[in-house]
Amino acid sequence: MSDTERHAETGGAGTAGAGGAGTAGRGGPAGGALLVVGDVVTDVVARHRGPLAAGTDTVAAVRTVPGGAGANVACWAVHEGGTDVRLLGRVGRDAAAWHERELTASGVRPLLVTDPEAPTGTVICLVDNGASGERTFLTDSGASLQLAPDDWSPALLDGVARLHLSGYLFFSGSSRALVSVVLESTRSRGVPVSVDPASAGFLTELGVDRFLELCAGVDVLLPSRDEACLLTGLPDPADAAAKLSRHFPLVVAKLGSDGALVARSGAVRAHVPALPATPRDTTGAGDAFTGAFLAALIAGAGPEEAARAGCAAGARAVERIGGRPPTNGTRRDEGK
């Protein structure tokens, strides 16, 4: 028995991923678990007002908080839906215990692989403290994109109703190989899969055609406005969402303050408006949308209702510091 299979049986964390209890019928049990496979990183959030001063100091409020698109999605899914949520990710020894504690405090079952060599991924988030709350990322993926096929076991799908892949997994060789193995497993079980493309910058480097090829068989695509337009070459996000929905059964394009578009069978079926919010930090708003959207689908909501839940979570997310929802007794504006 491999380490991954052993941990899949016991639900342990440490050297390999862990699976859940229960039986998995085709498509997963009704109201079953959400398994997120994705990145776990340490976010260093620097909130500054006005332009950065090149070559000298810029005053900023700096906090260290847990992050990662995959981890954020998992935490928001629990917060918004109370679902059984599991996260398979890879971290370094330097911060493994901290990330496991933070995920557990958020109600997520952490299935963390500890990398013996690579440090935990780190993202520096430069957040404009003005009206927009816009952010710029400096990313060192570290261990987060070192997930590999050996970290996977089909037993991880036991009890799982849906699986979500963070798009960052498509941007390194080892994690792309993992994606292929995961999609093969989900096809054999009939478990639906969603993907968030994650980064227009990394998508450009990978190549649109390559990304779409790797996503063959995915059920739900959740791109941002920029990602949808990049994937199609179309300037209008509605046209882009419609075109993508000819390749994916369901496309939900996240438009930030313009809400979300729900597209199926080559046409936009709904435009869900955003909720009013006063942005403090837009980091993780798309992850909040995705987590709430998936939790709502598992609870039995239709795509439009689930998109409304996503927009509501996104509005709450931008009014917080960092990419995670609040936890009991934990202030998300404090560092580790």
Side-chain angles (χ1 to χ4, degrees), residues 12-30:
T15 59
T23 59
R26 185 164 182 81

PDB file of all heavy atoms in Angstrom, residues 12-30:
ATOM      1  N   GLY A  12      -5.331  10.954   7.437  1.00  0.00           N
ATOM      2  CA  GLY A  12      -4.211  11.647   8.040  1.00  0.00           C
ATOM      3  C   GLY A  12      -3.603  12.649   7.095  1.00  0.00           C
ATOM      4  O   GLY A  12      -3.862  12.666   5.911  1.00  0.00           O
ATOM      5  N   ALA A  13      -2.735  13.510   7.652  1.00  0.00           N
ATOM      6  CA  ALA A  13      -2.012  14.484   6.843  1.00  0.00           C
ATOM      7  C   ALA A  13      -0.545  14.323   7.127  1.00  0.00           C
ATOM      8  O   ALA A  13      -0.145  13.719   8.101  1.00  0.00           O
ATOM      9  CB  ALA A  13      -2.463  15.906   7.180  1.00  0.00           C
ATOM     10  N   GLY A  14       0.290  14.905   6.283  1.00  0.00           N
ATOM     11  CA  GLY A  14       1.716  14.883   6.532  1.00  0.00           C
ATOM     12  C   GLY A  14       2.479  14.566   5.280  1.00  0.00           C
ATOM     13  O   GLY A  14       2.912  15.453   4.575  1.00  0.00           O
ATOM     14  N   THR A  15       2.656  13.276   4.939  1.00  0.00           N
ATOM     15  CA  THR A  15       3.493  12.925   3.809  1.00  0.00           C
ATOM     16  C   THR A  15       2.712  12.688   2.546  1.00  0.00           C
ATOM     17  O   THR A  15       3.273  12.589   1.476  1.00  0.00           O
ATOM     18  CB  THR A  15       4.307  11.658   4.125  1.00  0.00           C
ATOM     19  OG1 THR A  15       3.405  10.589   4.420  1.00  0.00           O
ATOM     20  CG2 THR A  15       5.223  11.890   5.302  1.00  0.00           C
ATOM     21  N   ALA A  16       1.392  12.560   2.639  1.00  0.00           N
ATOM     22  CA  ALA A  16       0.618  12.292   1.431  1.00  0.00           C
ATOM     23  C   ALA A  16      -0.798  12.746   1.612  1.00  0.00           C
ATOM     24  O   ALA A  16      -1.242  13.031   2.718  1.00  0.00           O
ATOM     25  CB  ALA A  16       0.658  10.797   1.101  1.00  0.00           C
ATOM     26  N   GLY A  17      -1.560  12.790   0.512  1.00  0.00           N
ATOM     27  CA  GLY A  17      -2.949  13.223   0.555  1.00  0.00           C
ATOM     28  C   GLY A  17      -3.815  12.251   1.300  1.00  0.00           C
ATOM     29  O   GLY A  17      -3.494  11.091   1.493  1.00  0.00           O
ATOM     30  N   ALA A  18      -4.996  12.724   1.719  1.00  0.00           N
ATOM     31  CA  ALA A  18      -5.910  11.893   2.479  1.00  0.00           C
ATOM     32  C   ALA A  18      -7.261  11.899   1.833  1.00  0.00           C
ATOM     33  O   ALA A  18      -7.735  12.912   1.369  1.00  0.00           O
ATOM     34  CB  ALA A  18      -6.024  12.422   3.906  1.00  0.00           C
ATOM     35  N   GLY A  19      -7.927  10.779   1.838  1.00  0.00           N
ATOM     36  CA  GLY A  19      -9.262  10.699   1.272  1.00  0.00           C
ATOM     37  C   GLY A  19     -10.302  10.708   2.347  1.00  0.00           C
ATOM     38  O   GLY A  19     -10.006  10.624   3.521  1.00  0.00           O
ATOM     39  N   GLY A  20     -11.572  10.763   1.966  1.00  0.00           N
ATOM     40  CA  GLY A  20     -12.647  10.818   2.934  1.00  0.00           C
ATOM     41  C   GLY A  20     -13.310   9.481   3.094  1.00  0.00           C
ATOM     42  O   GLY A  20     -13.057   8.523   2.379  1.00  0.00           O
ATOM     43  N   ALA A  21     -14.174   9.412   4.067  1.00  0.00           N
ATOM     44  CA  ALA A  21     -14.920   8.205   4.316  1.00  0.00           C
ATOM     45  C   ALA A  21     -16.143   8.174   3.432  1.00  0.00           C
ATOM     46  O   ALA A  21     -16.522   9.132   2.804  1.00  0.00           O
ATOM     47  CB  ALA A  21     -15.330   8.150   5.786  1.00  0.00           C
ATOM     48  N   GLY A  22     -16.785   7.009   3.401  1.00  0.00           N
ATOM     49  CA  GLY A  22     -18.042   6.895   2.668  1.00  0.00           C
ATOM     50  C   GLY A  22     -17.862   6.188   1.357  1.00  0.00           C
ATOM     51  O   GLY A  22     -16.767   5.854   0.934  1.00  0.00           O
ATOM     52  N   THR A  23     -18.970   5.912   0.706  1.00  0.00           N
ATOM     53  CA  THR A  23     -18.925   5.247  -0.579  1.00  0.00           C
ATOM     54  C   THR A  23     -19.220   6.243  -1.670  1.00  0.00           C
ATOM     55  O   THR A  23     -19.947   7.213  -1.486  1.00  0.00           O
ATOM     56  CB  THR A  23     -19.969   4.119  -0.632  1.00  0.00           C
ATOM     57  OG1 THR A  23     -21.259   4.679  -0.405  1.00  0.00           O
ATOM     58  CG2 THR A  23     -19.682   3.074   0.427  1.00  0.00           C
ATOM     59  N   ALA A  24     -18.655   6.008  -2.823  1.00  0.00           N
ATOM     60  CA  ALA A  24     -18.845   6.936  -3.939  1.00  0.00           C
ATOM     61  C   ALA A  24     -19.568   6.225  -5.053  1.00  0.00           C
ATOM     62  O   ALA A  24     -19.004   5.395  -5.743  1.00  0.00           O
ATOM     63  CB  ALA A  24     -17.489   7.460  -4.421  1.00  0.00           C
ATOM     64  N   GLY A  25     -20.814   6.560  -5.232  1.00  0.00           N
ATOM     65  CA  GLY A  25     -21.535   6.067  -6.387  1.00  0.00           C
ATOM     66  C   GLY A  25     -21.174   6.890  -7.594  1.00  0.00           C
ATOM     67  O   GLY A  25     -20.429   7.861  -7.511  1.00  0.00           O
ATOM     68  N   ARG A  26     -21.636   6.536  -8.733  1.00  0.00           N
ATOM     69  CA  ARG A  26     -21.311   7.279  -9.946  1.00  0.00           C
ATOM     70  C   ARG A  26     -21.835   8.707  -9.808  1.00  0.00           C
ATOM     71  O   ARG A  26     -23.001   8.941  -9.557  1.00  0.00           O
ATOM     72  CB  ARG A  26     -21.935   6.592 -11.161  1.00  0.00           C
ATOM     73  CG  ARG A  26     -21.527   7.244 -12.468  1.00  0.00           C
ATOM     74  CD  ARG A  26     -21.830   6.331 -13.640  1.00  0.00           C
ATOM     75  NE  ARG A  26     -21.410   6.928 -14.898  1.00  0.00           N
ATOM     76  CZ  ARG A  26     -20.164   6.909 -15.338  1.00  0.00           C
ATOM     77  NH1 ARG A  26     -19.226   6.328 -14.624  1.00  0.00           N
ATOM     78  NH2 ARG A  26     -19.844   7.464 -16.488  1.00  0.00           N
ATOM     79  N   GLY A  27     -20.904   9.662  -9.990  1.00  0.00           N
ATOM     80  CA  GLY A  27     -21.262  11.065  -9.842  1.00  0.00           C
ATOM     81  C   GLY A  27     -21.172  11.554  -8.411  1.00  0.00           C
ATOM     82  O   GLY A  27     -21.363  12.705  -8.141  1.00  0.00           O
ATOM     83  N   GLY A  28     -20.821  10.659  -7.467  1.00  0.00           N
ATOM     84  CA  GLY A  28     -20.720  11.064  -6.083  1.00  0.00           C
ATOM     85  C   GLY A  28     -22.083  11.101  -5.427  1.00  0.00           C
ATOM     86  O   GLY A  28     -23.105  11.291  -6.086  1.00  0.00           O
ATOM     87  N   PRO A  29     -22.145  10.912  -4.112  1.00  0.00           N
ATOM     88  CA  PRO A  29     -23.422  10.906  -3.413  1.00  0.00           C
ATOM     89  C   PRO A  29     -24.043  12.280  -3.380  1.00  0.00           C
ATOM     90  O   PRO A  29     -23.355  13.292  -3.386  1.00  0.00           O
ATOM     91  CB  PRO A  29     -23.034  10.437  -1.998  1.00  0.00           C
ATOM     92  CG  PRO A  29     -21.607  10.855  -1.842  1.00  0.00           C
ATOM     93  CD  PRO A  29     -21.000  10.739  -3.206  1.00  0.00           C
ATOM     94  N   ALA A  30     -25.378  12.326  -3.368  1.00  0.00           N
ATOM     95  CA  ALA A  30     -26.072  13.609  -3.283  1.00  0.00           C
ATOM     96  C   ALA A  30     -25.665  14.312  -1.999  1.00  0.00           C
ATOM     97  O   ALA A  30     -25.672  13.722  -0.923  1.00  0.00           O
ATOM     98  CB  ALA A  30     -27.581  13.382  -3.305  1.00  0.00           C
TER      99      ALA A  30
END
